[in-house]
Amino acid sequence: MAGGLLIGVVCGMGLLANRWWLTAPIHAYVELFRCTPVLVQIIWFYFALPTIIRVDLPGWLAAGIGLTLYMGCFATGIFRGGIISIDRGQWQAARAIGVT
């Protein structure tokens, strides 16, 4: 969960940028992981990823990678939505009292 939340914070902040080259891969990541079942992802990380990278992954690591990336894609939407929901007046008020 900690890894997924970290991915969510980084990607959620990245989606707020006005750079298409930064937001396009994040949108692709979120859509890819959100639109596939988590069990399919774990099976893919256990069977297909070791074949592609030619490194044998233990089952716990494959499941951990799959669940971390799955949690990260949903946390991205949560953090992005949370930041966008803050009203402009709240940002200005925070800056007025010295909060960065």
Side-chain angles (χ1 to χ4, degrees):
M1 284 187 67
L5 288 175
L6 181 65
I7 291 170
V9 168
V10 171
C11 291
M13 296 289 282
L15 283 178
L16 297 175
N18 289 330
R19 309 273 191 255
W20 69 269
W21 52 267
L22 181 63
T23 59
I26 297 173
H27 279 295
Y29 157 70
V30 169
E31 290 303 316
L32 177 73
F33 280 88
R34 188 183 295 172
C35 295
T36 56
V38 68
L39 186 58
V40 170
Q41 294 172 14
I42 292 172
I43 290 172
W44 188 88
F45 282 113
Y46 186 71
F47 290 112
L49 186 63
T51 304
I52 293 170
I53 63 173
R54 300 190 193 287
V55 174
D56 191 27
L57 293 177
W60 63 269
L61 184 59
I65 292 170
L67 290 172
T68 299
L69 292 174
Y70 189 73
M71 170 71 181
C73 83
F74 284 101
T76 297
I78 292 169
F79 285 113
R80 183 195 60 81
I83 293 169
I84 287 176
S85 70
I86 299 172
D87 190 35
R88 185 176 181 153
Q90 294 293 326
W91 287 105
Q92 293 171 347
R95 285 192 188 111
I97 62 171
V99 178
T100 58

